[in-house]
C-alpha cells in the first residue's frame, strides 16, 4: 500500500524540483507507478438459482445475470480463464420461509453450484456468501423475534448450519455478511467441529447500512419486506467503530477482513489496513457499479477509464482484493495493456 502521509518533503524547491519530469512519458509514468492492478485481485459475484439454461439479465446492473447452475459454471470458467482471483456465490432459492431453511439445504443453489464449479474448475477459488436475507420470506438477515427485531443469538445457529453446508459442498472460503454479533466465532467453531478447520473465513467486518446496495437487492431478491438493516449493519457516520468491529472479528478467528461498500469508504479501508495488516478485501457494491454503468451509457463519463480508476483507488487505499461486478471487464482491460 502506498503511504501518502509518510512521503518525505522534497529536498529543495522549484525550479530545481519539477515533479512533471517523472510524468513525461508513458514509460516514465509506468516506472514510478505506486499501485498496480492484477486480475488475481478481483473477485466476481455470481447469482445462482435452480433450473437449467437460465440467464436472466439484472436490469439495474447491465452485464450481470441471475443464472442456473449450468450457466454459472460457464461464468466460472470465464473467470478462471481471465485469471481472476475467485468467484463469490449468492443463492436464489425456490422457496423462502421465516427461518431461511433453504439456506443450509444440501442441494440449495449455492451448494449445487459449488460442487458443479469445483468439478470443472478445481483450481478456481469459490467463496460463498453466508447470510439469511436471500432465504427468509421477510428478507432480513436473521430470525425475527415476535416483535420484529432480528434475534442475534438464535440466528447464529442458522448461519453455522449454512456455513457448514457450504464447506461440505467444497467452498474454499466462507464469507458471512449478516453482521450478527459473534458470528465469526460461532461459524469458526462450527466449521472446526465439522472437520473444516482448514477453510478460511472472510468476514464482512465493517459492513455499513448503505443505500449503495439498492441494485443488489433486485439481483438477490432480498429486499426487506419491512424496515431496514440499520439495527445490524453499521452507521455510515462511524469510522472508529469499524476498527472495533474488525478487532472483534480478528479475535473470533477471521482470516480475511472486508470493508463494504468500497468507493465511499476509502478512509475505512486505509485505516483497517494500517491498523491490522491483515489481508483486506473491499466490496465495490452494486450501486457503485450501477452508477458508473449508467453514466457511461449516457456518454457522461468514459466508462472504462472510470472503472479502472475506481478499482485503482480502492487498491491504493489499502485493499488487497476487490469484489467487483467489473471483474471480467477489468481483467480484459489489463490483458490488453
Ligand atoms: C447480504 C448481502 C448484501 C450485499 C452483499 N451481501 C445486501 C445487503 O446487505 O442488503 C450487497 C452487495 C451489493 O450491493 O453489491 N446481506
Amino acid at each position: 500500500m502506498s503511504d501518502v502521509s509518510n512521503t518525505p518533503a522534497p529536498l529543495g524547491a522549484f525550479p530545481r524540483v519539477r515533479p512533471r519530469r517523472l510524468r513525461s512519458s508513458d514509460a516514465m509514468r509506468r516506472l514510478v507507478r505506486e499501485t498496480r492492478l492484477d486480475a488475481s485481485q478481483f473477485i466476481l459475484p455470481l447469482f445462482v438459482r435452480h433450473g437449467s439454461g437460465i440467464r436472466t439479465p439484472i436490469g439495474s446492473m447491465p452485464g450481470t445475470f441471475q443464472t442456473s447452475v449450468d450457466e454459472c459454471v460457464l461464468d466460472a470458467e470465464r473467470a478462471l480463464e481471465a485469471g481472476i482471483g475467485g468467484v463469490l456465490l449468492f443463492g436464489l432459492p425456490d422457496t423462502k420461509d421465516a427461518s431461511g431453511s433453504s439456506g443450509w439445504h444440501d442441494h440449495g443453489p449455492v451448494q449445487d453450484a459449488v460442487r458443479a464449479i469445483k468439478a470443472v474448475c478445481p483450481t478456481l477459488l469459490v467463496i460463498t456468501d453466508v447470510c439469511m436475507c436471500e432465504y427468509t420470506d421477510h428478507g432480513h438477515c436473521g430470525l425475527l423475534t415476535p416483535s420484529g427485531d432480528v434475534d442475534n443469538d438464535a440466528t447464529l445457529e442458522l448461519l453455522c448450519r449454512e456455513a457448514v453446508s457450504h464447506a461440505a459442498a467444497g467452498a474454499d472460503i466462507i464469507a458471512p455478511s449478516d453482521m450478527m454479533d459473534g458470528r465469526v466465532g460461532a461459524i469458526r467453531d462450527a466449521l472446526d467441529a465439522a472437520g473444516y478447520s482448514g477453510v478460511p473465513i472472510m468476514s464482512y467486518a465493517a459492513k455499513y447500512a448503505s443505500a449503495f446496495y439498492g441494485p443488489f437487492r433486485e439481483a438477490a431478491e432480498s429486499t426487506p419486506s419491512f424496515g431496514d438493516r440499520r439495527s445490524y449493519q453499521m452507521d455510515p457516520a462511524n469510522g472508529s467503530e469499524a476498527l472495533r468491529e474488525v478487532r472483534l472479528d480478528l479475535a473470533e478467528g477471521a482470516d480475511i477482513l472486508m470493508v463494504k461498500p468500497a468507493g465511499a469508504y476509502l478512509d475505512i479501508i486505509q485505516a483497517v489496513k494500517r491498523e491490522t495488516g491483515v489481508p483486506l478485501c473491499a466490496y465495490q457494491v452494486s450501486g457503485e457499479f450501477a452508477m458508473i454503468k449508467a453514466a457511461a451509457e449516457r456518454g457522461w463519463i468514459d466508462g472504462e477509464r472510470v472503472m479502472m480508476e475506481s478499482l485503482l483507488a480502492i487498491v491504493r487505499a489499502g485493499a488487497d482484493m476487490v469484489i467487483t461486478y467489473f471483474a471480467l471487464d477489468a481483467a480484459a482491460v489489463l490483458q490488453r495493456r
Side-chain angles (χ1 to χ4, degrees):
M1 170 180 54
S2 60
D3 193 343
V4 181
S5 65
N6 282 349
T7 308
L11 303 168
F14 179 82
R16 279 206 191 121
V17 175
R18 292 179 181 272
R20 287 185 58 194
R21 286 183 196 122
L22 298 181
R23 297 176 202 143
S24 59
S25 68
D26 195 46
M28 194 73 85
R29 291 188 289 271
R30 278 218 314 263
L31 187 71
V32 299
R33 188 153 296 149
E34 298 174 40
T35 308
R36 290 183 165 79
L37 292 176
D38 189 87
S40 64
Q41 295 168 297
F42 304 145
I43 297 166
L44 176 69
L46 296 172
F47 301 97
V48 59
R49 61 179 345 135
H50 285 305
S52 68
I54 299 172
R55 183 168 285 275
T56 312
I58 299 162
S60 53
M61 299 168 68
T64 67
F65 304 87
Q66 297 180 344
T67 67
S68 47
V69 172
D70 53 341
E71 292 285 326
C72 177
V73 171
L74 300 179
D75 288 340
E77 286 181 293
R78 280 184 205 115
L80 183 63
E81 185 135 326
I84 280 171
V87 294
L88 172 64
L89 300 184
F90 292 95
L92 303 151
D94 287 341
T95 58
K96 304 192 183 204
D97 58 25
S99 62
S101 62
S102 54
W104 57 84
H105 195 283
D106 187 39
H107 284 285
V110 167
Q111 290 83 350
D112 279 350
V114 171
R115 279 185 290 260
I117 292 170
K118 291 309 268 184
V120 179
C121 309
T123 60
L124 179 68
L125 286 180
V126 179
I127 308 166
T128 57
D129 183 271
V130 168
C131 193
M132 303 315 303
C133 64
E134 298 126 74
Y135 306 99
T136 52
D137 49 16
H138 46 74
H140 278 287
C141 299
L143 274 180
L144 297 182
T145 63
S147 65
D149 284 338
V150 174
D151 185 337
N152 190 90
D153 299 12
T155 299
L156 297 183
E157 158 78 25
L158 312 185
L159 294 168
C160 288
R161 278 194 223 171
E162 186 182 351
V164 168
S165 82
H166 290 179
D172 294 295
I173 301 176
I174 301 296
S177 69
D178 53 283
M179 286 302 275
M180 296 302 117
D181 292 330
R183 94 273 205 209
V184 172
I187 290 173
R188 184 71 271 159
D189 287 347
L191 289 174
D192 291 358
Y196 303 109
S197 59
V199 176
I201 295 177
M202 172 192 275
S203 168
Y204 288 69
K207 175 174 177 179
Y208 287 87
S210 173
F212 285 97
Y213 306 151
F216 173 94
R217 293 181 185 170
E218 176 200 340
E221 300 171 3
S222 67
T223 307
S225 57
F226 66 91
D228 54 44
R229 303 209 203 287
R230 281 181 243 202
S231 80
Y232 39 104
Q233 298 179 350
M234 283 178 56
D235 184 339
N238 295 356
S240 304
E241 190 190 356
L243 297 177
R244 182 158 179 249
E245 280 282 3
V246 153
R247 283 190 210 106
L248 286 169
D249 282 11
L250 283 177
E252 289 175 32
D255 299 278
I256 301 173
L257 298 168
M258 196 197 300
V259 172
K260 175 183 173 197
Y265 294 82
L266 297 180
D267 56 330
I268 309 298
I269 294 172
Q270 187 169 49
V272 169
K273 188 61 188 181
R274 280 202 186 143
E275 175 86 4
T276 67
V278 166
L280 178 60
C281 181
Y283 197 144
Q284 183 181 48
V285 301
S286 56
E288 301 177 65
F289 173 81
M291 290 192 311
I292 294 172
K293 281 284 188 188
E297 272 179 13
R298 292 177 188 201
W300 289 352
I301 57 171
D302 178 333
E304 184 175 302
R305 288 190 54 206
V306 173
M307 164 179 79
M308 298 312 284
E309 189 175 327
S310 67
L311 292 167
L312 189 72
I314 293 164
V315 172
R316 191 193 61 231
D320 300 294
M321 61 199 97
V322 189
I323 301 169
T324 173
Y325 303 96
F326 286 124
L328 287 172
D329 291 346
V333 171
L334 293 176
Q335 183 74 36
R336 236 178 31 229
R337 279 185 185 166

